[in-house]
Amino acid sequence: MSVDCIFCKIVNGVIPSKKIYEDDDVIAFNDIKPSAKVHFLIVPKLHVESLASCETQHQALLGKMLLLAPKIAKEQGLAGFKTLINTGRDGGQEVFHLHLHVLGGGEKPPKT
Ligand code: AMP
Ligand code: ZN
């Protein structure tokens, strides 16, 4: 837990979210500013700043996040989807708690 981290606050229920999935390691909730008809984030409960901060010890967690993407996407009614992990300020990351974007729905898939 990082005190100033918005996603840690969501994990701990301090800030509300539209939660669509939760287990011991991970939560998923709808993005507050969706870039597609369906846009949710898969977030580890553990505070890890970014993909660039991940090490071998995070391998299982990263695998779990990826494997959850198609499962939750299907539950959300998506036949296909895009995944995205922004990494570092130069990579467009705004929230420095690792997260996987999952986007889909609508006629055209989103560009990013
Ligand atoms: P990134 O640029 O990859 O760090 O993306 C951060 C994402 O978090 C953006 O798409 C934001 O819209 C989303 N976001 C920020 N605050 C919240 C929040 N309180 N609830 C849901 N999504 C959020
Ligand atoms: Zn955090």
Side-chain angles (χ1 to χ4, degrees), residues 6-7 10 15-17 29-35 39 41 85-86 92-96 99 101:
I6 192 164
F7 285 178
I10 288 177
I15 289 178
S17 70
F29 51 85
N30 288 325
D31 196 293
I32 206 163
K33 274 202 233 158
S35 303
H39 182 179
L41 305 172
I85 301 177
N86 295 320
Q93 186 174 2
E94 288 175 0
V95 176
F96 285 83
H99 53 281
H101 293 258

Side-chain angles (χ1 to χ4, degrees), residues 2 5 7-8 47 97:
S2 171
C5 172
F7 285 178
C8 281
H47 179 86
H97 179 132

Side-chain angles (χ1 to χ4, degrees), residues 15-82:
I15 289 178
S17 70
K18 292 248 164 77
K19 193 161 59 183
I20 55 173
Y21 175 86
E22 180 168 19
D23 65 27
D24 286 348
D25 306 311
V26 167
I27 67 167
F29 51 85
N30 288 325
D31 196 293
I32 206 163
K33 274 202 233 158
S35 303
K37 205 167 171 185
V38 176
H39 182 179
F40 61 88
L41 305 172
I42 301 179
V43 179
K45 289 189 171 178
L46 182 74
H47 179 86
V48 184
E49 269 202 11
S50 79
L51 189 58
S53 320
C54 286
E55 297 182 4
T56 313
Q57 72 200 71
H58 302 112
Q59 193 165 313
L61 186 60
L62 288 167
K64 182 167 189 175
M65 289 166 67
L66 277 178
L67 287 173
L68 275 169
K71 185 176 175 282
I72 304 172
K74 194 174 176 190
E75 285 169 8
Q76 296 297 306
L78 296 177
F81 57 89
K82 283 181 189 282

